[in-house]
Structure formats: structure tokens, C-alpha cells
């Protein structure tokens, strides 16, 4: 219960922190750093589940569930850091020139993550694997369109 309340508190704070109307970044560079940090954490928490999805590591329902809960918190973070005038890093110009496409890509990711959350909470391994794959696809498809190749 305590843990759950903590998670809600964190989610509440993040909602406040990610409200676009708040002036959050003093410099464009700060926004770039912030979104790249958030993406790096998302990549870590998503990537660590890959061996389980690939059946290279055992399925631990509770670990997956906890990890997906962390991912849900992280998933709300990056988007407010793509405000006007924050071009830079690996972000392609299309993020700003095709804002509706970028938003659509975010929404697809959010929807896929919602399905992953349902599967993880249900402790359903097969559903987890399918939903995990779909989230990975949504990451890749957004990166293909909106992230500069390294
Ligand atoms: C990751 C990560 C991504 C996605 C993507 C899935 O772990 O860092 O960008 O998965 O590679 O296709």
C-alpha cells in the first residue's frame, strides 16, 4: 500500500512537472539533456525486459509488473521537453514541422504501453510478449521518423 501511494505521489508530481505551461527549461540545451535522460531511462527499463520476452530469462511476474509501472511514470516525461526553440541533440526538425505526426507517434506509444501494462498486471506471459513487441515497434517507428541516425 505504501509503495502504491508513493507511486501515485510520484505520478502526481510528474503531472505537475510536465505541464507544458510551466517554464521548465532555462535553455534549449537543458531541454535536450532532460529528454535524452528520460529516453535513456525508458530504454533501460524497456530493454531489461527484452531477455524475458525473448525467453532468455525467466518470467518473474512481479518484476515485470514493477518495471512496467516505472516505465509508465517515465513515459510521461519527455514530451514537454520538445517545446518550441528546443531543437538539438538527436531530434529531427520533423518533430516541429510535423507536430501532429509526432503527437500521433506519442499516442501510439502510450496506447501500446497501456496494453503492456494490462498484460503485465494480469501476469499473462504470452500477452506480455505480444504487447512488449508492440511497444518496441512503436519506439522504433517514432525513432525512424523523428530521431537522427547516430
Ligand atoms: C529499446 C530502446 C529502443 C527500443 C527499440 C525497439 O530498448 O532503447 O529504442 O527498444 O530499439 O525496437
Amino acid at each position: 500500500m505504501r509503495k502504491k501511494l508513493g507511486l501515485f505521489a510520484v505520478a502526481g508530481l510528474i503531472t505537475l512537472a510536465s505541464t507544458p505551461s510551466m517554464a521548465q527549461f532555462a535553455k534549449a540545451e537543458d531541454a535536450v539533456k532532460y529528454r535524452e535522460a528520460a529516453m535513456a531511462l525508458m530504454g533501460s527499463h524497456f530493454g531489461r525486459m527484452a531477455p524475458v520476452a525473448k525467453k532468455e530469462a525467466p518470467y518473474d511476474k512481479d518484476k515485470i509488473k514493477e518495471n512496467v509501472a516505472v516505465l509508465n511514470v517515465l513515459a510521461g516525461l519527455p514530451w514537454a521537453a520538445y517545446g518550441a526553440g528546443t531543437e538539438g541533440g538527436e531530434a529531427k526538425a520533423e518533430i516541429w514541422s510535423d507536430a501532429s505526426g509526432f503527437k500521433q507517434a506519442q499516442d501510439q506509444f502510450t496506447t501500446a504501453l497501456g496494453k503492456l501494462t494490462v498484460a503485465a498486471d494480469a501476469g499473462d506471459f504470452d500477452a506480455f510478449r505480444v504487447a512488449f513487441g508492440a511497444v518496441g515497434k512503436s519506439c522504433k517507428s517514432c525513432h525512424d521518423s523523428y530521431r537522427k541516425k547516430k
Side-chain angles (χ1 to χ4, degrees), residues 47-118:
R48 69 185 63 180
M49 294 189 283
V52 178
K54 288 191 259 179
K55 300 187 178 177
E56 292 166 5
Y59 176 60
D60 180 331
K61 173 185 183 288
D62 291 332
K63 260 194 195 165
I64 292 291
K65 204 171 146 170
E66 210 169 301
N67 203 47
V68 170
V70 173
L71 206 49
N72 269 284
V73 174
L74 295 172
L77 293 179
W79 321 116
Y82 290 94
T86 66
E87 291 84 348
E90 294 171 19
K92 277 194 191 170
E94 281 80 353
I95 287 173
W96 294 275
S97 65
D98 175 26
S100 69
F102 185 55
K103 178 71 172 70
Q104 215 170 53
Q106 285 169 41
D107 291 345
Q108 272 164 15
F109 165 68
T110 304
T111 301
L113 182 57
K115 289 181 182 170
L116 178 60
T117 307
V118 170

Side-chain angles (χ1 to χ4, degrees), residues 43 46-47 136 139-140 143:
F46 184 70
C139 298
K140 185 179 185 311
H143 291 163

